[in-house]
Amino acid sequence: MYRRDTVSTLLAIAGSDNTGGAGIQADIKTASAFGVFASSAVTALTAQKENVICGLTPVSLDMIALQIDTLFQSFTPDAVKIGMIPSPEAVAIIAEKLTEYGARNIVVDPIIVSLEGENLKGKNLEIFQAIKERLFPISTLVTPNFEEALAITGLEKLESAKDFGKILYEKSGAPAVLLKGGDSKSEYCTDILFTDEDTRMFRQSKINASNTHGTGSVFSTAIACGLAKGFLLSKAVRMAKDYVSFAIQKGVDMRLSFGNGPLYLFDN
């Protein structure tokens, strides 16, 4: 099928987004743009429109486990990207399997999913807590946005970035945390990487665009692709940020949706 010694590989563990702009579909497209061979373990099927999840059907725990088992029995991925997970039980299965197989370069995008009309409460927070407890410790990088970062810290509002970052890093229990700044009201998009060694900021001017569906998923996957290709974490983040900016700018004039459309994910 392909020469394993010349192709970097990625395992994407996430839900399916029927719009093609996020989830497994965007993970595979992003990996292809980076020349990385993407495999997958689908955690749920969703029906979406206009950035709203209208329906969600979880994949059975046995099937999630079997997807991961059969993949690692074939080859060991160079990196793993984890996106949406539908239940605490699914989180536990994924954590057990990745630990069992010694998975490396794990990037966790701790997505908080709410169905149409739901608030952030109940089962969603149980899932998020399970991700924090089971997946953060075995990860290489965790990539929360502001809302997810507040959930990690337990704070109600974002304090100064520097002080907040220290709390976020300590509370996460992960070896590295990238606070994604795409949701900020600033004219710049500033992402901050926290590790035990230092803090690095990655800043670019915001692009005036409506086609931004899946930006967070694409960013995290692009980082995982950089790690799969052997780059250091800071360089992988820089490359991923450049790619996301390229994909947003290139997709400004695309008309694939009535509302908030996807990024341009055809090349790098």
PDB file of all heavy atoms in Angstrom, residues 16-23 25-26 29-30 46-53 209-219 244 247-248 251 254 257 259-265:
ATOM      1  N   SER A  16     -17.283  11.670  13.785  1.00  0.00           N
ATOM      2  CA  SER A  16     -17.479  12.018  12.387  1.00  0.00           C
ATOM      3  C   SER A  16     -18.309  13.293  12.289  1.00  0.00           C
ATOM      4  O   SER A  16     -19.314  13.446  12.983  1.00  0.00           O
ATOM      5  CB  SER A  16     -18.208  10.876  11.674  1.00  0.00           C
ATOM      6  OG  SER A  16     -18.668  11.274  10.405  1.00  0.00           O
ATOM      7  N   ASP A  17     -17.873  14.228  11.471  1.00  0.00           N
ATOM      8  CA  ASP A  17     -18.629  15.455  11.194  1.00  0.00           C
ATOM      9  C   ASP A  17     -19.150  15.352   9.772  1.00  0.00           C
ATOM     10  O   ASP A  17     -18.381  15.420   8.811  1.00  0.00           O
ATOM     11  CB  ASP A  17     -17.723  16.680  11.356  1.00  0.00           C
ATOM     12  CG  ASP A  17     -18.414  17.981  10.969  1.00  0.00           C
ATOM     13  OD1 ASP A  17     -19.603  17.951  10.595  1.00  0.00           O
ATOM     14  OD2 ASP A  17     -17.760  19.040  11.029  1.00  0.00           O
ATOM     15  N   ASN A  18     -20.468  15.187   9.616  1.00  0.00           N
ATOM     16  CA  ASN A  18     -21.019  14.961   8.285  1.00  0.00           C
ATOM     17  C   ASN A  18     -20.844  16.156   7.348  1.00  0.00           C
ATOM     18  O   ASN A  18     -20.938  16.010   6.128  1.00  0.00           O
ATOM     19  CB  ASN A  18     -22.503  14.579   8.369  1.00  0.00           C
ATOM     20  CG  ASN A  18     -23.362  15.689   8.941  1.00  0.00           C
ATOM     21  OD1 ASN A  18     -23.079  16.188  10.023  1.00  0.00           O
ATOM     22  ND2 ASN A  18     -24.430  16.047   8.253  1.00  0.00           N
ATOM     23  N   THR A  19     -20.555  17.348   7.893  1.00  0.00           N
ATOM     24  CA  THR A  19     -20.308  18.506   7.025  1.00  0.00           C
ATOM     25  C   THR A  19     -18.935  18.433   6.376  1.00  0.00           C
ATOM     26  O   THR A  19     -18.673  19.117   5.381  1.00  0.00           O
ATOM     27  CB  THR A  19     -20.409  19.831   7.791  1.00  0.00           C
ATOM     28  OG1 THR A  19     -19.258  19.984   8.649  1.00  0.00           O
ATOM     29  CG2 THR A  19     -21.671  19.895   8.636  1.00  0.00           C
ATOM     30  N   GLY A  20     -18.029  17.630   6.942  1.00  0.00           N
ATOM     31  CA  GLY A  20     -16.682  17.501   6.399  1.00  0.00           C
ATOM     32  C   GLY A  20     -15.723  18.573   6.859  1.00  0.00           C
ATOM     33  O   GLY A  20     -14.547  18.553   6.495  1.00  0.00           O
ATOM     34  N   GLY A  21     -16.191  19.518   7.678  1.00  0.00           N
ATOM     35  CA  GLY A  21     -15.337  20.634   8.078  1.00  0.00           C
ATOM     36  C   GLY A  21     -14.543  20.412   9.340  1.00  0.00           C
ATOM     37  O   GLY A  21     -13.574  21.125   9.604  1.00  0.00           O
ATOM     38  N   ALA A  22     -14.952  19.456  10.156  1.00  0.00           N
ATOM     39  CA  ALA A  22     -14.261  19.174  11.419  1.00  0.00           C
ATOM     40  C   ALA A  22     -14.256  17.662  11.625  1.00  0.00           C
ATOM     41  O   ALA A  22     -14.540  16.892  10.704  1.00  0.00           O
ATOM     42  CB  ALA A  22     -14.950  19.895  12.573  1.00  0.00           C
ATOM     43  N   GLY A  23     -13.905  17.226  12.839  1.00  0.00           N
ATOM     44  CA  GLY A  23     -13.928  15.809  13.150  1.00  0.00           C
ATOM     45  C   GLY A  23     -12.957  14.988  12.308  1.00  0.00           C
ATOM     46  O   GLY A  23     -11.974  15.507  11.776  1.00  0.00           O
ATOM     47  N   GLN A  25     -13.184  13.766   9.386  1.00  0.00           N
ATOM     48  CA  GLN A  25     -13.022  14.191   7.994  1.00  0.00           C
ATOM     49  C   GLN A  25     -11.954  15.269   7.861  1.00  0.00           C
ATOM     50  O   GLN A  25     -11.090  15.213   6.968  1.00  0.00           O
ATOM     51  CB  GLN A  25     -14.357  14.692   7.433  1.00  0.00           C
ATOM     52  CG  GLN A  25     -15.393  13.609   7.175  1.00  0.00           C
ATOM     53  CD  GLN A  25     -16.207  13.242   8.406  1.00  0.00           C
ATOM     54  OE1 GLN A  25     -15.810  13.517   9.542  1.00  0.00           O
ATOM     55  NE2 GLN A  25     -17.353  12.625   8.189  1.00  0.00           N
ATOM     56  N   ALA A  26     -11.996  16.264   8.737  1.00  0.00           N
ATOM     57  CA  ALA A  26     -10.998  17.335   8.689  1.00  0.00           C
ATOM     58  C   ALA A  26      -9.622  16.826   9.109  1.00  0.00           C
ATOM     59  O   ALA A  26      -8.593  17.282   8.589  1.00  0.00           O
ATOM     60  CB  ALA A  26     -11.425  18.496   9.586  1.00  0.00           C
ATOM     61  N   LYS A  29      -8.125  15.141   6.026  1.00  0.00           N
ATOM     62  CA  LYS A  29      -7.752  16.141   5.021  1.00  0.00           C
ATOM     63  C   LYS A  29      -6.487  16.900   5.436  1.00  0.00           C
ATOM     64  O   LYS A  29      -5.591  17.134   4.623  1.00  0.00           O
ATOM     65  CB  LYS A  29      -8.904  17.129   4.809  1.00  0.00           C
ATOM     66  CG  LYS A  29     -10.135  16.520   4.173  1.00  0.00           C
ATOM     67  CD  LYS A  29     -11.300  17.504   4.199  1.00  0.00           C
ATOM     68  CE  LYS A  29     -12.576  16.852   3.684  1.00  0.00           C
ATOM     69  NZ  LYS A  29     -13.749  17.733   3.808  1.00  0.00           N
ATOM     70  N   THR A  30      -6.436  17.278   6.709  1.00  0.00           N
ATOM     71  CA  THR A  30      -5.271  18.006   7.205  1.00  0.00           C
ATOM     72  C   THR A  30      -4.013  17.158   7.121  1.00  0.00           C
ATOM     73  O   THR A  30      -2.952  17.621   6.682  1.00  0.00           O
ATOM     74  CB  THR A  30      -5.504  18.456   8.662  1.00  0.00           C
ATOM     75  OG1 THR A  30      -6.661  19.302   8.715  1.00  0.00           O
ATOM     76  CG2 THR A  30      -4.296  19.211   9.204  1.00  0.00           C
ATOM     77  N   THR A  46     -22.257  12.067  13.912  1.00  0.00           N
ATOM     78  CA  THR A  46     -23.027  13.265  14.204  1.00  0.00           C
ATOM     79  C   THR A  46     -23.744  13.775  12.960  1.00  0.00           C
ATOM     80  O   THR A  46     -23.326  13.512  11.834  1.00  0.00           O
ATOM     81  CB  THR A  46     -22.135  14.410  14.741  1.00  0.00           C
ATOM     82  OG1 THR A  46     -21.276  14.868  13.685  1.00  0.00           O
ATOM     83  CG2 THR A  46     -21.307  13.957  15.923  1.00  0.00           C
ATOM     84  N   ALA A  47     -24.823  14.501  13.194  1.00  0.00           N
ATOM     85  CA  ALA A  47     -25.519  15.239  12.143  1.00  0.00           C
ATOM     86  C   ALA A  47     -25.425  16.714  12.528  1.00  0.00           C
ATOM     87  O   ALA A  47     -25.902  17.104  13.605  1.00  0.00           O
ATOM     88  CB  ALA A  47     -26.973  14.796  12.031  1.00  0.00           C
ATOM     89  N   GLN A  48     -24.788  17.521  11.678  1.00  0.00           N
ATOM     90  CA  GLN A  48     -24.510  18.907  12.034  1.00  0.00           C
ATOM     91  C   GLN A  48     -24.960  19.873  10.939  1.00  0.00           C
ATOM     92  O   GLN A  48     -25.060  19.513   9.771  1.00  0.00           O
ATOM     93  CB  GLN A  48     -23.010  19.105  12.277  1.00  0.00           C
ATOM     94  CG  GLN A  48     -22.424  18.213  13.346  1.00  0.00           C
ATOM     95  CD  GLN A  48     -20.984  18.563  13.681  1.00  0.00           C
ATOM     96  OE1 GLN A  48     -20.583  19.712  13.664  1.00  0.00           O
ATOM     97  NE2 GLN A  48     -20.191  17.541  13.984  1.00  0.00           N
ATOM     98  N   LYS A  49     -25.191  21.114  11.354  1.00  0.00           N
ATOM     99  CA  LYS A  49     -25.429  22.213  10.429  1.00  0.00           C
ATOM    100  C   LYS A  49     -25.118  23.513  11.157  1.00  0.00           C
ATOM    101  O   LYS A  49     -25.330  23.631  12.368  1.00  0.00           O
ATOM    102  CB  LYS A  49     -26.877  22.235   9.942  1.00  0.00           C
ATOM    103  CG  LYS A  49     -27.905  22.460  11.051  1.00  0.00           C
ATOM    104  CD  LYS A  49     -29.316  22.557  10.508  1.00  0.00           C
ATOM    105  CE  LYS A  49     -30.319  22.826  11.629  1.00  0.00           C
ATOM    106  NZ  LYS A  49     -31.707  22.948  11.119  1.00  0.00           N
ATOM    107  N   GLU A  50     -24.549  24.456  10.439  1.00  0.00           N
ATOM    108  CA  GLU A  50     -24.306  25.794  10.997  1.00  0.00           C
ATOM    109  C   GLU A  50     -23.612  25.739  12.366  1.00  0.00           C
ATOM    110  O   GLU A  50     -23.980  26.454  13.292  1.00  0.00           O
ATOM    111  CB  GLU A  50     -25.625  26.557  11.134  1.00  0.00           C
ATOM    112  CG  GLU A  50     -26.406  26.676   9.847  1.00  0.00           C
ATOM    113  CD  GLU A  50     -25.663  27.437   8.772  1.00  0.00           C
ATOM    114  OE1 GLU A  50     -25.017  28.439   9.101  1.00  0.00           O
ATOM    115  OE2 GLU A  50     -25.704  27.013   7.605  1.00  0.00           O
ATOM    116  N   ASN A  51     -22.630  24.840  12.511  1.00  0.00           N
ATOM    117  CA  ASN A  51     -21.886  24.711  13.764  1.00  0.00           C
ATOM    118  C   ASN A  51     -22.736  24.211  14.929  1.00  0.00           C
ATOM    119  O   ASN A  51     -22.396  24.418  16.090  1.00  0.00           O
ATOM    120  CB  ASN A  51     -21.223  26.038  14.162  1.00  0.00           C
ATOM    121  CG  ASN A  51     -19.916  26.250  13.438  1.00  0.00           C
ATOM    122  OD1 ASN A  51     -19.460  25.376  12.705  1.00  0.00           O
ATOM    123  ND2 ASN A  51     -19.309  27.402  13.629  1.00  0.00           N
ATOM    124  N   VAL A  52     -23.868  23.593  14.638  1.00  0.00           N
ATOM    125  CA  VAL A  52     -24.737  23.046  15.671  1.00  0.00           C
ATOM    126  C   VAL A  52     -24.847  21.537  15.470  1.00  0.00           C
ATOM    127  O   VAL A  52     -25.082  21.073  14.360  1.00  0.00           O
ATOM    128  CB  VAL A  52     -26.146  23.672  15.615  1.00  0.00           C
ATOM    129  CG1 VAL A  52     -27.079  22.987  16.605  1.00  0.00           C
ATOM    130  CG2 VAL A  52     -26.076  25.163  15.892  1.00  0.00           C
ATOM    131  N   ILE A  53     -24.658  20.775  16.539  1.00  0.00           N
ATOM    132  CA  ILE A  53     -24.820  19.327  16.480  1.00  0.00           C
ATOM    133  C   ILE A  53     -26.289  19.011  16.728  1.00  0.00           C
ATOM    134  O   ILE A  53     -26.797  19.226  17.834  1.00  0.00           O
ATOM    135  CB  ILE A  53     -23.922  18.617  17.503  1.00  0.00           C
ATOM    136  CG1 ILE A  53     -22.449  18.875  17.187  1.00  0.00           C
ATOM    137  CG2 ILE A  53     -24.201  17.117  17.499  1.00  0.00           C
ATOM    138  CD1 ILE A  53     -21.495  18.221  18.147  1.00  0.00           C
ATOM    139  N   ALA A 209     -12.746  36.545   8.213  1.00  0.00           N
ATOM    140  CA  ALA A 209     -13.310  35.447   7.430  1.00  0.00           C
ATOM    141  C   ALA A 209     -14.444  34.798   8.202  1.00  0.00           C
ATOM    142  O   ALA A 209     -14.417  34.733   9.442  1.00  0.00           O
ATOM    143  CB  ALA A 209     -12.231  34.415   7.118  1.00  0.00           C
ATOM    144  N   SER A 210     -15.426  34.298   7.486  1.00  0.00           N
ATOM    145  CA  SER A 210     -16.537  33.581   8.115  1.00  0.00           C
ATOM    146  C   SER A 210     -16.356  32.071   8.029  1.00  0.00           C
ATOM    147  O   SER A 210     -16.979  31.322   8.778  1.00  0.00           O
ATOM    148  CB  SER A 210     -17.865  33.975   7.459  1.00  0.00           C
ATOM    149  OG  SER A 210     -17.847  33.656   6.072  1.00  0.00           O
ATOM    150  N   ASN A 211     -15.510  31.621   7.111  1.00  0.00           N
ATOM    151  CA  ASN A 211     -15.278  30.183   6.952  1.00  0.00           C
ATOM    152  C   ASN A 211     -14.229  29.703   7.945  1.00  0.00           C
ATOM    153  O   ASN A 211     -13.048  29.564   7.621  1.00  0.00           O
ATOM    154  CB  ASN A 211     -14.843  29.875   5.517  1.00  0.00           C
ATOM    155  CG  ASN A 211     -15.960  30.078   4.524  1.00  0.00           C
ATOM    156  OD1 ASN A 211     -17.134  29.993   4.874  1.00  0.00           O
ATOM    157  ND2 ASN A 211     -15.616  30.351   3.283  1.00  0.00           N
ATOM    158  N   THR A 212     -14.672  29.444   9.173  1.00  0.00           N
ATOM    159  CA  THR A 212     -13.749  29.039  10.235  1.00  0.00           C
ATOM    160  C   THR A 212     -14.195  27.761  10.949  1.00  0.00           C
ATOM    161  O   THR A 212     -13.629  27.398  11.974  1.00  0.00           O
ATOM    162  CB  THR A 212     -13.592  30.169  11.275  1.00  0.00           C
ATOM    163  OG1 THR A 212     -14.894  30.504  11.801  1.00  0.00           O
ATOM    164  CG2 THR A 212     -12.964  31.404  10.650  1.00  0.00           C
ATOM    165  N   HIS A 213     -15.204  27.088  10.404  1.00  0.00           N
ATOM    166  CA  HIS A 213     -15.682  25.853  11.036  1.00  0.00           C
ATOM    167  C   HIS A 213     -14.575  24.801  11.039  1.00  0.00           C
ATOM    168  O   HIS A 213     -13.980  24.494  10.005  1.00  0.00           O
ATOM    169  CB  HIS A 213     -16.894  25.312  10.279  1.00  0.00           C
ATOM    170  CG  HIS A 213     -17.377  23.994  10.798  1.00  0.00           C
ATOM    171  ND1 HIS A 213     -17.707  23.786  12.111  1.00  0.00           N
ATOM    172  CD2 HIS A 213     -17.582  22.793  10.167  1.00  0.00           C
ATOM    173  CE1 HIS A 213     -18.101  22.536  12.282  1.00  0.00           C
ATOM    174  NE2 HIS A 213     -18.029  21.910  11.114  1.00  0.00           N
ATOM    175  N   GLY A 214     -14.277  24.274  12.221  1.00  0.00           N
ATOM    176  CA  GLY A 214     -13.266  23.227  12.338  1.00  0.00           C
ATOM    177  C   GLY A 214     -11.865  23.726  12.591  1.00  0.00           C
ATOM    178  O   GLY A 214     -10.916  22.929  12.620  1.00  0.00           O
ATOM    179  N   THR A 215     -11.712  25.046  12.826  1.00  0.00           N
ATOM    180  CA  THR A 215     -10.368  25.605  13.007  1.00  0.00           C
ATOM    181  C   THR A 215      -9.612  24.925  14.137  1.00  0.00           C
ATOM    182  O   THR A 215      -8.433  24.578  13.997  1.00  0.00           O
ATOM    183  CB  THR A 215     -10.452  27.120  13.279  1.00  0.00           C
ATOM    184  OG1 THR A 215     -11.090  27.762  12.172  1.00  0.00           O
ATOM    185  CG2 THR A 215      -9.067  27.708  13.473  1.00  0.00           C
ATOM    186  N   GLY A 216     -10.281  24.724  15.275  1.00  0.00           N
ATOM    187  CA  GLY A 216      -9.606  24.105  16.416  1.00  0.00           C
ATOM    188  C   GLY A 216      -9.165  22.688  16.125  1.00  0.00           C
ATOM    189  O   GLY A 216      -8.047  22.280  16.476  1.00  0.00           O
ATOM    190  N   SER A 217     -10.036  21.924  15.458  1.00  0.00           N
ATOM    191  CA  SER A 217      -9.679  20.542  15.104  1.00  0.00           C
ATOM    192  C   SER A 217      -8.496  20.502  14.151  1.00  0.00           C
ATOM    193  O   SER A 217      -7.566  19.703  14.312  1.00  0.00           O
ATOM    194  CB  SER A 217     -10.882  19.845  14.447  1.00  0.00           C
ATOM    195  OG  SER A 217     -11.956  19.716  15.345  1.00  0.00           O
ATOM    196  N   VAL A 218      -8.536  21.364  13.151  1.00  0.00           N
ATOM    197  CA  VAL A 218      -7.457  21.393  12.155  1.00  0.00           C
ATOM    198  C   VAL A 218      -6.137  21.779  12.812  1.00  0.00           C
ATOM    199  O   VAL A 218      -5.086  21.184  12.524  1.00  0.00           O
ATOM    200  CB  VAL A 218      -7.814  22.380  11.024  1.00  0.00           C
ATOM    201  CG1 VAL A 218      -6.613  22.602  10.114  1.00  0.00           C
ATOM    202  CG2 VAL A 218      -8.997  21.849  10.218  1.00  0.00           C
ATOM    203  N   PHE A 219      -6.168  22.767  13.694  1.00  0.00           N
ATOM    204  CA  PHE A 219      -4.955  23.228  14.372  1.00  0.00           C
ATOM    205  C   PHE A 219      -4.314  22.085  15.153  1.00  0.00           C
ATOM    206  O   PHE A 219      -3.113  21.810  15.027  1.00  0.00           O
ATOM    207  CB  PHE A 219      -5.320  24.386  15.298  1.00  0.00           C
ATOM    208  CG  PHE A 219      -4.142  25.132  15.864  1.00  0.00           C
ATOM    209  CD1 PHE A 219      -2.856  24.969  15.394  1.00  0.00           C
ATOM    210  CD2 PHE A 219      -4.338  26.045  16.900  1.00  0.00           C
ATOM    211  CE1 PHE A 219      -1.783  25.667  15.913  1.00  0.00           C
ATOM    212  CE2 PHE A 219      -3.281  26.764  17.431  1.00  0.00           C
ATOM    213  CZ  PHE A 219      -1.992  26.567  16.950  1.00  0.00           C
ATOM    214  N   VAL A 244      -2.950  26.877   9.541  1.00  0.00           N
ATOM    215  CA  VAL A 244      -4.322  27.310   9.809  1.00  0.00           C
ATOM    216  C   VAL A 244      -4.575  28.694   9.212  1.00  0.00           C
ATOM    217  O   VAL A 244      -5.625  28.937   8.601  1.00  0.00           O
ATOM    218  CB  VAL A 244      -4.606  27.316  11.325  1.00  0.00           C
ATOM    219  CG1 VAL A 244      -5.917  28.033  11.627  1.00  0.00           C
ATOM    220  CG2 VAL A 244      -4.663  25.896  11.859  1.00  0.00           C
ATOM    221  N   ALA A 247      -4.979  28.231   5.563  1.00  0.00           N
ATOM    222  CA  ALA A 247      -6.235  27.575   5.223  1.00  0.00           C
ATOM    223  C   ALA A 247      -7.432  28.519   5.379  1.00  0.00           C
ATOM    224  O   ALA A 247      -8.392  28.455   4.606  1.00  0.00           O
ATOM    225  CB  ALA A 247      -6.427  26.332   6.084  1.00  0.00           C
ATOM    226  N   ILE A 248      -7.361  29.411   6.376  1.00  0.00           N
ATOM    227  CA  ILE A 248      -8.437  30.394   6.547  1.00  0.00           C
ATOM    228  C   ILE A 248      -8.404  31.415   5.416  1.00  0.00           C
ATOM    229  O   ILE A 248      -9.429  31.729   4.805  1.00  0.00           O
ATOM    230  CB  ILE A 248      -8.321  31.101   7.912  1.00  0.00           C
ATOM    231  CG1 ILE A 248      -8.579  30.113   9.055  1.00  0.00           C
ATOM    232  CG2 ILE A 248      -9.308  32.263   7.998  1.00  0.00           C
ATOM    233  CD1 ILE A 248      -8.356  30.695  10.436  1.00  0.00           C
ATOM    234  N   GLY A 251      -9.466  30.080   2.098  1.00  0.00           N
ATOM    235  CA  GLY A 251     -10.879  29.720   2.030  1.00  0.00           C
ATOM    236  C   GLY A 251     -11.841  30.872   2.197  1.00  0.00           C
ATOM    237  O   GLY A 251     -13.059  30.653   2.310  1.00  0.00           O
ATOM    238  N   MET A 254     -14.617  30.816  -0.430  1.00  0.00           N
ATOM    239  CA  MET A 254     -15.341  29.565  -0.696  1.00  0.00           C
ATOM    240  C   MET A 254     -16.801  29.706  -0.271  1.00  0.00           C
ATOM    241  O   MET A 254     -17.105  30.337   0.734  1.00  0.00           O
ATOM    242  CB  MET A 254     -14.704  28.392   0.064  1.00  0.00           C
ATOM    243  CG  MET A 254     -13.395  27.917  -0.504  1.00  0.00           C
ATOM    244  SD  MET A 254     -12.961  26.237   0.066  1.00  0.00           S
ATOM    245  CE  MET A 254     -13.134  26.366   1.821  1.00  0.00           C
ATOM    246  N   SER A 257     -21.300  26.607   2.264  1.00  0.00           N
ATOM    247  CA  SER A 257     -22.278  26.536   3.342  1.00  0.00           C
ATOM    248  C   SER A 257     -23.069  27.830   3.388  1.00  0.00           C
ATOM    249  O   SER A 257     -22.587  28.887   2.981  1.00  0.00           O
ATOM    250  CB  SER A 257     -21.569  26.306   4.682  1.00  0.00           C
ATOM    251  OG  SER A 257     -22.456  26.452   5.769  1.00  0.00           O
ATOM    252  N   GLY A 259     -23.817  29.254   6.094  1.00  0.00           N
ATOM    253  CA  GLY A 259     -23.306  30.027   7.216  1.00  0.00           C
ATOM    254  C   GLY A 259     -21.807  29.935   7.342  1.00  0.00           C
ATOM    255  O   GLY A 259     -21.068  30.199   6.400  1.00  0.00           O
ATOM    256  N   ASN A 260     -21.355  29.503   8.532  1.00  0.00           N
ATOM    257  CA  ASN A 260     -19.943  29.420   8.857  1.00  0.00           C
ATOM    258  C   ASN A 260     -19.349  28.174   8.194  1.00  0.00           C
ATOM    259  O   ASN A 260     -19.507  27.063   8.685  1.00  0.00           O
ATOM    260  CB  ASN A 260     -19.792  29.362  10.383  1.00  0.00           C
ATOM    261  CG  ASN A 260     -18.351  29.417  10.817  1.00  0.00           C
ATOM    262  OD1 ASN A 260     -17.482  29.827  10.063  1.00  0.00           O
ATOM    263  ND2 ASN A 260     -18.094  29.000  12.040  1.00  0.00           N
ATOM    264  N   GLY A 261     -18.651  28.362   7.083  1.00  0.00           N
ATOM    265  CA  GLY A 261     -18.145  27.235   6.311  1.00  0.00           C
ATOM    266  C   GLY A 261     -16.791  26.744   6.785  1.00  0.00           C
ATOM    267  O   GLY A 261     -16.213  27.265   7.735  1.00  0.00           O
ATOM    268  N   PRO A 262     -16.240  25.735   6.095  1.00  0.00           N
ATOM    269  CA  PRO A 262     -14.968  25.122   6.476  1.00  0.00           C
ATOM    270  C   PRO A 262     -13.762  25.893   5.953  1.00  0.00           C
ATOM    271  O   PRO A 262     -13.892  26.802   5.137  1.00  0.00           O
ATOM    272  CB  PRO A 262     -15.057  23.742   5.823  1.00  0.00           C
ATOM    273  CG  PRO A 262     -15.820  24.014   4.554  1.00  0.00           C
ATOM    274  CD  PRO A 262     -16.848  25.052   4.932  1.00  0.00           C
ATOM    275  N   LEU A 263     -12.586  25.477   6.422  1.00  0.00           N
ATOM    276  CA  LEU A 263     -11.337  26.026   5.932  1.00  0.00           C
ATOM    277  C   LEU A 263     -10.987  25.372   4.587  1.00  0.00           C
ATOM    278  O   LEU A 263     -11.552  24.350   4.213  1.00  0.00           O
ATOM    279  CB  LEU A 263     -10.201  25.759   6.927  1.00  0.00           C
ATOM    280  CG  LEU A 263     -10.111  26.631   8.177  1.00  0.00           C
ATOM    281  CD1 LEU A 263     -11.331  26.483   9.077  1.00  0.00           C
ATOM    282  CD2 LEU A 263      -8.835  26.287   8.967  1.00  0.00           C
ATOM    283  N   TYR A 264     -10.032  25.960   3.918  1.00  0.00           N
ATOM    284  CA  TYR A 264      -9.486  25.382   2.678  1.00  0.00           C
ATOM    285  C   TYR A 264      -8.453  24.343   3.092  1.00  0.00           C
ATOM    286  O   TYR A 264      -7.371  24.685   3.579  1.00  0.00           O
ATOM    287  CB  TYR A 264      -8.857  26.492   1.841  1.00  0.00           C
ATOM    288  CG  TYR A 264      -8.235  26.035   0.542  1.00  0.00           C
ATOM    289  CD1 TYR A 264      -8.949  26.092  -0.644  1.00  0.00           C
ATOM    290  CD2 TYR A 264      -6.914  25.571   0.479  1.00  0.00           C
ATOM    291  CE1 TYR A 264      -8.379  25.687  -1.856  1.00  0.00           C
ATOM    292  CE2 TYR A 264      -6.342  25.160  -0.707  1.00  0.00           C
ATOM    293  CZ  TYR A 264      -7.080  25.234  -1.879  1.00  0.00           C
ATOM    294  OH  TYR A 264      -6.507  24.845  -3.053  1.00  0.00           O
ATOM    295  N   LEU A 265      -8.763  23.068   2.880  1.00  0.00           N
ATOM    296  CA  LEU A 265      -7.905  21.988   3.377  1.00  0.00           C
ATOM    297  C   LEU A 265      -7.325  21.120   2.260  1.00  0.00           C
ATOM    298  O   LEU A 265      -7.017  19.967   2.472  1.00  0.00           O
ATOM    299  CB  LEU A 265      -8.697  21.108   4.355  1.00  0.00           C
ATOM    300  CG  LEU A 265      -9.275  21.814   5.585  1.00  0.00           C
ATOM    301  CD1 LEU A 265     -10.106  20.842   6.421  1.00  0.00           C
ATOM    302  CD2 LEU A 265      -8.164  22.427   6.430  1.00  0.00           C
TER     303      LEU A 265
END
